[in-house]
Amino acid sequence: MAATVVENIERKKARAEEANLLIEGLDETTQKAVYIATKMFLAQRDTEEGKAEKNCH
């Protein structure tokens, strides 16, 4: 089980590093747009997860 968790973390870390490399190739305005869109996506996901958890309890 611990090995699976470590593999999952390593996979997420590799994806984050790849995303950072891709973003570095963008101009500053596009980088800001990606940042804002990502924050909005994560906020929506967190809100949806919170609603799902609230409905389960």
Side-chain angles (χ1 to χ4, degrees):
M1 179 120 182
T4 304
V5 172
V6 170
E7 288 176 11
N8 191 21
I9 291 170
E10 291 298 322
R11 197 173 15 238
K12 287 181 181 180
K13 184 177 175 183
R15 283 197 326 224
E17 289 172 359
E18 183 179 2
N20 285 335
L21 287 174
L22 292 171
I23 289 172
E24 287 174 6
L26 302 174
D27 63 82
E28 186 176 344
T29 302
T30 306
Q31 286 181 12
K32 288 179 181 180
V34 169
Y35 174 80
I36 291 168
T38 301
K39 292 297 258 182
M40 291 173 66
F41 170 80
L42 293 174
Q44 180 182 11
R45 185 184 70 183
D46 291 346
T47 300
E48 289 172 356
E49 287 176 359
K51 286 180 182 178
E53 288 178 10
K54 190 182 259 188
N55 290 336
C56 289
H57 295 288

